């Protein structure tokens, strides 16, 4: 463990932060309207023009790169090659009859071929729907895949790999649907080879067709996680995508380093992933596809790539940062490579523990003598991606303030505010679901995110906002007390660090709150002094450390709606196949509690045994 440093007074590494200029209005009902006074810059709302520009300005620069599965070496394509192949893919899709009534569905992980199919579809006016690999590769009835397939009604399917996807494809009604594959071996149905698409000769009128596309038409259908029901298809337009990228660029500009070199694992079936991909493409950065992710057996690949590339900009989810700080503290070579060229870190969402933030900054100061600017990308699938950020000097995690071109409405909700948004980056609604679309917007046209936010300092709006929980994660104890699940969970993770990586908060209908925790093996080993096997609570040092932390939490949070009465570690890892984990690594609380009913029952048993820590 590196020594803890007081770093708050240390300057940031070469970043010019803009002055915060926020317009604030208050309504009669106590609601607040926040709007960034910095104007959203003019930009071409069609993706094609930006791809064309990079192909002309820097034709030989690496645009996309991924490791070869056999040799492990990076293989890449340049901006000139990418632009040419996007045009060929666009023509190939149009030749197959692709268009607004015949969308493209992609069943693939992140890859160069996936990116070319996505960009080619968007510029051609063929709506594209990327689907999580888990929907296809998990065993069972594949209910979610069938639901999305019937909702989107694709006319064309792209499947990168063959055999692993065959059972999923065979479960679908493929009559009239064209299937394209980069590796068709093992597929049971006739397919078109991806290579043929990248060799298609563009028609003379292709560019005229592309430039006549409506920037507000359907460009992509991005799926919600389905954590509170079946996935919904959120309509994205090209204007939404480009607005969202220029919102961030207008404020953080060069600091985003989209024009430089990126390494990213976030799946392109999620908005955070495709935002980084598209940002690199339009601003001229080299996008390296990370073949690792924050999961056992895969995170080592990410660490190898970080050593190899020394990126200037790094984005991850809070769970990924929790794993990263442990690895950085244990590996001097990794620390040196990670901080060598680093100028900005971004965490997607709202829940980065404060302790993780402080550990990162302490290592940064020790390695390079400066703090690294750390910001967030707060938003939702319906807002294209992150549209609020920290762009001011702050040593607190949070969601920041609105970016240019976005209007935020904060409606009083108990001791916090419900957040709603309006702007060019906000969706017009859900595909084939007018009822859900109507209920998702208020009378003034603001989209309801379903989150609660609050001010770090009510007397100083410039200090920014922080995440105060999801309305859907609020639940009631059997005593009648309401619990702000998201807020309690985030605070508890911070209090129990580094012993836990994440947790499931339980208690609906019970007399007290309880937690089922995901163990952080590196943190547990640092406390136990050895590798921890079996139930971590069986280790006296671990149990004692947890008792101390839980007692400290309960002393500071003695109320029924915050106090933790019981604690245990999960018996088995969380499963993406069982919908317990999203592609980003975040926990679907409802699904996890439902799937682990026996473990929850054990938590609340009269005699739970030594595997449950009962707080007195």
């Amino acid at each position: 463990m590196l020594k803890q440093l007081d770093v708050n007074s240390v300057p940031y590494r070469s970043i010019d932060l803009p002055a915060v200029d926020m317009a604030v209005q208050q309504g009669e009902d106590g609601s607040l309207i926040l709007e960034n006074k910095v104007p959203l810059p003019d930009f071409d709302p069609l993706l094609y023009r930006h791809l064309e520009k990079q192909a002309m300005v820097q034709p030989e620069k690496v645009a996309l790169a991924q490791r070869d599965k056999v040799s492990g070496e990076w293989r890449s394509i340049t901006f000139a090659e990418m632009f040419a192949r996007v045009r060929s893919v666009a023509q190939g899709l149009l030749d197959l009859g692709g268009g607004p009534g015949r969308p493209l569905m992609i069943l693939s992980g992140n890859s160069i071929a996936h990116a070319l199919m996505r960009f080619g579809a968007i510029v051609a006016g063929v709506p594209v729907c990327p689907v999580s690999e888990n929907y296809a590769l998990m065993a069972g009835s594949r209910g979610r895949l069938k639901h999305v397939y019937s909702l989107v009604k694709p006319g064309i399917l792209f499947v990168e790999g063959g055999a692993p996807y065959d059972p999923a494809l065979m479960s679908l009604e493929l009559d009239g649907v064209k299937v394209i594959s980069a590796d068709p071996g093992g597929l049971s149905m006739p397919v078109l080879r991806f290579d043929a698409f990248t060799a298609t000769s563009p028609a003379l009128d292709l560019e005229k067709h592309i430039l006549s596309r409506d920037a507000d038409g359907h460009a992509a259908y991005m799926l919600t996680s389905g954590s509170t029901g079946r996935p919904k298809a959120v309509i994205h337009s090209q204007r939404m995508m480009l607005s969202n990228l220029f919102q961030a660029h207008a404020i953080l500009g060069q600091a985003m380093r989209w024009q430089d070199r990126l390494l990213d694992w976030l799946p392109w079936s999620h908005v955070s992933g495709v935002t980084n991909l598209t940002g690199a493409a339009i601003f001229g950065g080299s996008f390296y596809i990370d073949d690792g992710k924050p999961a056992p057996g895969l995170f080592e690949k990410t660490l190898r790539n970080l050593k190899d590339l020394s990126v200037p900009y790094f984005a991850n989810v809070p769970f990924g940062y929790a794993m990263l700080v442990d690895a950085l503290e244990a590996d001097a070579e990794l620390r040196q490579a990670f901080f060598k060229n680093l100028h900005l870190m971004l965490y997607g969402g709202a829940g980065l523990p404060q302790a993780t933030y402080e550990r990162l900054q302490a290592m940064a100061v020790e390695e390079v003598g400066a703090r690294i600017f750390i910001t967030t990308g707060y938003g939702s699938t319906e807002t294209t991606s992150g549209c609020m950020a920290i762009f001011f000097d702050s040593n607190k995690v949070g969601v920041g303030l609105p970016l240019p071109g976005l209007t935020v409405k904060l409606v009083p909700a108990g001791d916090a505010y419900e957040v709603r948004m309006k702007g060019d980056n906000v969706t017009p609604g859900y595909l084939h679901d007018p009822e859900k679309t109507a209920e998702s917007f208020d009378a003034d046209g603001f989209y309801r995110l379903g989150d609660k936010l609050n001010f770090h300092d009510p007397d100083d709006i410039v200090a920014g906002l922080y995440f105060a929980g999801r309305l859907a994660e609020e639940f009631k104890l059997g005593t009648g007390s309401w619990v702000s699940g998201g807020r309690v969970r985030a605070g508890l993770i911070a209090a129990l660090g580094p012993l836990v990586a994440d947790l499931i908060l339980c208690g609906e209908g019970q007399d007290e709150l309880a937690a089922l925790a995901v163990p952080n093996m590196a943190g547990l080993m640092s406390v136990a002094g050895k590798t921890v096997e079996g139930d971590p609570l069986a280790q006296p040092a671990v149990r004692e450390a947890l008792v101390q932390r839980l007692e400290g939490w309960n002393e500071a949070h003695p109320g029924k709606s915050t106090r933790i009465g019981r604690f245990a570690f999960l018996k088995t890892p969380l499963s993406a196949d069982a919908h317990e984990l999203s592609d980003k690594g975040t926990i679907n609380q409802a699904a996890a509690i439902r799937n682990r009913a026996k473990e929850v029952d054990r938590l609340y048993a009269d005699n739970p045994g030594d595997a449950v820590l009962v707080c007195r």
Side-chain angles (χ1 to χ4, degrees):
M1 176 72 72
L2 293 177
K3 63 182 179 181
Q4 297 299 306
L5 303 174
D6 181 13
V7 301
N8 292 339
S9 61
V10 179
Y12 291 115
R13 188 180 201 180
S14 61
I15 184 170
D16 294 322
L17 298 176
V20 178
D21 192 5
M22 200 68 47
V24 182
Q25 300 178 14
Q26 185 163 14
E28 294 181 0
D29 61 352
S31 63
L32 298 174
I33 301 292
L34 274 60
E35 192 168 12
N36 199 313
K37 290 184 180 180
V38 174
L40 187 65
D42 292 333
F43 61 89
D44 192 315
L46 294 179
L47 174 63
Y48 183 83
R49 284 299 195 199
H50 299 277
L51 300 181
E52 180 183 46
K53 174 185 175 182
Q54 297 305 331
M56 295 176 62
V57 171
Q58 46 184 8
E60 299 305 314
K61 183 177 180 179
V62 170
L64 294 165
Q66 68 182 110
R67 287 197 185 274
D68 186 271
K69 292 182 179 180
V70 177
S71 69
E73 298 299 317
W74 290 106
R75 59 184 182 88
S76 63
I77 61 172
T78 65
F79 275 99
E81 291 169 332
M82 182 173 75
F83 182 63
R85 294 182 193 181
V86 164
R87 284 171 49 86
S88 293
V89 168
Q91 186 65 60
L93 292 172
L94 292 173
D95 291 347
L96 288 179
R102 285 176 58 83
L104 166 69
M105 180 176 283
I106 295 179
L107 284 172
S108 169
N110 297 358
S111 69
I112 291 175
H114 182 155
L116 295 175
M117 289 297 294
R118 178 181 177 85
F119 291 155
I122 290 172
V123 302
V126 180
V128 58
C129 179
V131 178
S132 168
E133 284 188 293
N134 292 328
Y135 286 16
L137 298 179
M138 68 177 62
S141 63
R142 297 183 175 84
R144 288 192 174 192
L145 176 62
K146 293 177 181 177
H147 163 70
V148 171
Y149 184 78
S150 64
L151 175 64
V152 175
K153 297 179 176 60
I156 306 169
L157 264 171
F158 173 71
V159 182
E160 176 136 10
Y165 293 90
D166 192 60
L169 293 182
M170 294 301 291
S171 72
L172 303 175
E173 295 290 340
L174 293 176
D175 292 345
V177 176
K178 302 294 185 181
V179 179
I180 305 166
S181 179
D183 181 14
L187 291 179
S188 302
M189 69 288 300
V191 300
L192 301 169
R193 293 196 65 96
F194 173 74
D195 291 349
F197 274 73
T198 59
T200 302
S201 297
L204 293 177
D205 63 348
L206 176 64
E207 186 163 292
K208 180 179 178 180
H209 170 86
I210 288 173
L211 296 179
S212 69
R213 296 306 86 201
D214 181 3
D216 296 307
H218 295 196
Y221 302 128
M222 299 301 295
L223 302 175
T224 61
S225 66
S227 60
T228 57
R230 296 191 301 180
K232 299 181 289 293
V234 181
I235 299 167
H236 280 202
S237 69
Q238 292 193 63
R239 190 184 307 279
M240 284 176 60
M241 300 174 196
L242 273 295
S243 293
N244 184 236
L245 290 166
F246 278 93
Q247 282 177 323
H249 201 262
I251 287 294
L252 290 170
Q254 297 297 311
M256 292 300 298
R257 301 283 169 162
W258 275 326
Q259 77 283 3
D260 205 314
R261 186 173 61 248
L262 289 82
L263 172 74
D264 195 42
W265 68 271
L266 289 164
W268 297 341
S269 55
H270 190 277
V271 291
S272 297
V274 292
T275 294
N276 283 329
L277 170 68
T278 312
I282 72 167
F283 291 112
S286 300
F287 190 101
Y288 287 78
I289 299 169
D290 187 0
D291 53 347
K293 64 179 181 179
L298 292 173
F299 194 56
E300 292 77 9
K301 294 184 177 182
T302 293
L303 300 182
R304 172 198 179 189
N305 292 335
L306 286 173
K307 286 183 178 180
D308 189 16
L309 295 172
S310 293
V311 293
Y313 161 76
F314 184 71
N316 214 323
V317 295
F319 184 72
Y321 276 112
M323 296 182 70
L324 178 64
V325 291
D326 289 337
L328 289 169
E329 288 173 348
D331 187 338
E333 181 186 355
L334 175 65
R335 274 198 311 278
Q336 183 179 28
F338 181 71
F339 289 107
K340 179 181 178 181
N341 297 311
L342 193 65
H343 289 265
L344 184 142
M345 287 182 277
L346 181 144
Y347 55 95
L352 184 72
Q354 186 71 34
T356 301
Y357 174 96
E358 292 170 357
R359 290 164 69 191
L360 283 167
Q361 293 292 26
M363 286 185 282
V365 171
E366 190 156 301
E367 284 294 325
V368 298
R371 282 188 293 167
I372 303 299
F373 192 70
I374 300 178
T375 187
T376 184
Y378 173 75
S380 69
T381 307
E382 291 83 354
T383 67
T384 306
S385 187
C387 52
M388 293 180 67
I390 297 170
F391 49 87
F392 42 87
D393 190 4
S394 175
N395 61 357
K396 294 181 179 179
V397 298
V399 302
L401 290 167
L403 293 174
L406 177 73
T407 304
V408 169
K409 180 194 286 188
L410 300 174
V411 180
D415 60 352
Y417 296 88
E418 180 199 347
V419 60
R420 305 176 186 181
M421 296 181 177
K422 183 191 289 187
D424 283 348
N425 63 299
V426 177
T427 183
Y430 302 102
L431 182 67
H432 305 317
D433 198 342
E435 183 177 338
K436 185 63 179 177
T437 296
E439 69 182 43
S440 298
F441 292 84
D442 69 13
D444 297 320
F446 283 84
Y447 171 71
R448 307 171 187 263
L449 275 78
D451 288 350
K452 295 200 302 183
L453 306 180
N454 217 338
F455 291 101
H456 281 298
D457 183 350
D459 297 322
D460 182 14
I461 289 177
V462 174
L465 292 144
Y466 66 88
F467 180 73
R470 280 196 61 79
L471 294 172
E473 289 183 359
E474 293 188 345
F475 59 88
K476 189 182 287 187
L477 295 172
T479 61
S481 298
W482 278 99
V483 178
S484 180
R487 182 166 56 178
V488 173
R489 178 175 155 273
L492 190 59
I493 291 171
L496 299 180
L499 303 175
V500 306
D502 212 328
L503 60 82
I504 303 163
L505 190 67
C506 311
E508 185 167 7
Q510 301 287 348
D511 290 340
E512 61 183 354
L513 291 175
L516 281 172
V518 179
N520 179 0
M521 289 305 176
L524 292 170
M525 186 169 66
S526 69
V527 170
K530 59 181 178 180
T531 300
V532 175
E533 298 179 353
D535 187 349
L537 283 176
Q539 295 289 334
V542 170
R543 195 178 189 94
E544 180 181 352
L546 282 166
V547 168
Q548 291 177 353
R549 285 165 170 77
L550 285 167
E551 285 180 348
W553 168 268
N554 287 339
E555 183 177 347
H557 305 85
K560 275 285 187 181
S561 60
T562 53
R563 185 185 187 279
I564 303 300
R566 301 186 177 212
F567 174 95
F569 283 103
L570 289 168
K571 285 187 173 182
T572 56
L574 292 163
S575 167
D577 288 352
H579 308 296
E580 294 176 334
L581 284 175
S582 74
D583 285 351
K584 289 201 309 175
T586 54
I587 298 178
N588 179 335
Q589 295 280 314
I593 290 173
R594 183 172 59 250
N595 293 347
R596 295 167 185 271
K598 290 184 178 179
E599 290 183 71
V600 175
D601 289 344
R602 181 190 62 174
L603 273 175
Y604 289 101
D606 291 338
N607 297 297
D610 291 340
V612 174
L613 198 163
V614 179
C615 303
R616 303 301 180 187

